[in-house]
Amino acid sequence: MELFLQLFVSGILLGGVYALAALGLNLIFGVAKVVNFAHGEFLMLGMYAGFWLMTLTGVNPYFGAPLIALVFFGLGMLFYLGIMRFTIYKPELTQVFATLGLSIALQNLALVLFSADYRTIQTMPDGYSSLGIGPLHVATDRVIAFGFAMVIFAGVILFLRRTYTGRAIEAISQDLMAARLMGIDSQKIFTITFGLGIAITGLAGGVLVPSFYAFPSIGSFFVLIAFVVVVLGGLGSVTGTIVGGLVLGVIESVFGYFSPDLKEATHFVLLILLLAIRPQGLLGVRGAEKETLK
């Protein structure tokens, strides 16, 4: 019984981390219907941002998270204004090639600037790297990352439901043409959404670097997980992202214990099954994945 409880708790903490890593991807898709294949590379850059912030200035990335988010908000706006603004109404393949090309460019840029070395940081003093809760033991960094995830999710939900900009984002995600007729500036909302989505992604990378190694191709690992979480929870659903992340975390924790070699294979198998059986996800709306901006 203790073993299954340990696996469940570990899976929940891991799932919160996965949900945080996937939120930016789902937020951008929900509004602009753009699948960002460079999502993993932005998260990778966030991990390097947390690493270098701690290494060069001694500032713990947990405390420097707002600064990382602010920088990546600007990067997200540049990403939209410099690239995606010209492809937003183009065929899907144009968007795929644009984001995939950016993904390759960012990965190789990181390789040139930071080399292929694996990097990580220790944020907790010796003796505080794990927490004991009765018979359970969990990594302190995972608990903190999970706390960040829950706070960010709560903040995003409140922002979307309680502010004018948030309601405008939801309006465009539901019906672009009707939102335009109501006087909403779609280009402004797209710019803000890309900024917010990339800011969350960069912040996620900053708080994940104590738990995962940062290296130029780490984004390829996280982008697959993000896609599985988004498809599992529901395309365009913020609440679904939380559910999808937690479910995937528990599944991976259990499979990883009984068969470590199949741990990553579960991502592919689960993604294929979801696309075949329930492409709208657990909390998604049927047909959301097929909506268009035209």
Side-chain angles (χ1 to χ4, degrees), residues 121-200:
I121 53 177
Q122 181 178 346
T123 57
M124 295 293 109
D126 293 336
Y128 293 92
S129 59
S130 64
L131 297 174
I133 307 173
L136 306 179
H137 294 276
V138 293
T140 306
D141 287 324
R142 290 282 176 88
V143 175
I144 295 175
F146 182 84
F148 266 94
M150 295 302 104
V151 170
I152 290 170
F153 272 105
V156 169
I157 291 173
L158 287 174
F159 171 75
L160 293 176
R161 295 180 180 177
R162 300 293 179 87
T163 67
Y164 172 80
T165 302
R167 289 194 292 269
I169 289 174
E170 288 204 318
I172 285 185
S173 71
Q174 293 172 16
D175 193 323
L176 175 61
M177 189 59 66
R180 282 175 168 173
L181 292 174
M182 294 298 104
I184 296 175
D185 186 342
S186 60
Q187 291 300 318
K188 178 181 177 181
I189 296 301
F190 286 152
T191 305
I192 293 173
T193 301
F194 271 82
L196 183 60
I198 300 303
I200 294 171

Side-chain angles (χ1 to χ4, degrees), residues 4-167:
F4 286 101
L5 185 59
Q6 177 71 58
L7 291 175
F8 178 77
V9 172
S10 298
I12 289 294
L13 294 178
L14 181 63
V17 168
Y18 285 170
L20 179 60
L23 178 58
L25 178 69
N26 210 5
L27 186 65
I28 289 174
F29 177 84
V31 176
K33 303 299 182 288
V34 171
V35 179
N36 178 20
F37 284 92
H39 175 80
E41 278 57 49
F42 281 110
L43 191 139
M44 173 268 294
L45 292 177
M47 295 179 74
Y48 275 113
F51 172 82
W52 290 115
L53 185 65
M54 180 87 171
T55 303
L56 299 178
T57 67
V59 177
N60 192 308
Y62 298 138
F63 298 115
L67 176 61
I68 294 174
L70 183 61
V71 170
F72 276 79
F73 183 83
L75 285 178
M77 295 178 70
L78 288 175
F79 173 43
Y80 176 75
L81 295 174
I83 299 177
M84 298 312 299
R85 178 164 62 98
F86 304 104
T87 67
I88 198 74
Y89 299 112
K90 302 292 185 182
E92 288 79 2
L93 278 179
T94 303
Q95 300 169 1
V96 169
F97 289 141
T99 57
L100 191 59
L102 180 62
S103 168
I104 296 171
L106 290 177
Q107 189 173 136
N108 283 277
L109 179 63
L111 185 62
V112 171
L113 294 177
F114 309 129
S115 78
D117 295 340
Y118 283 46
R119 304 174 189 270
T120 190
I121 53 177
Q122 181 178 346
T123 57
M124 295 293 109
D126 293 336
Y128 293 92
S129 59
S130 64
L131 297 174
I133 307 173
L136 306 179
H137 294 276
V138 293
T140 306
D141 287 324
R142 290 282 176 88
V143 175
I144 295 175
F146 182 84
F148 266 94
M150 295 302 104
V151 170
I152 290 170
F153 272 105
V156 169
I157 291 173
L158 287 174
F159 171 75
L160 293 176
R161 295 180 180 177
R162 300 293 179 87
T163 67
Y164 172 80
T165 302
R167 289 194 292 269

Side-chain angles (χ1 to χ4, degrees), residues 214-225:
F215 54 95
S217 59
I218 184 64
S220 301
F221 168 76
F222 273 109
V223 77
L224 172 61
I225 290 175

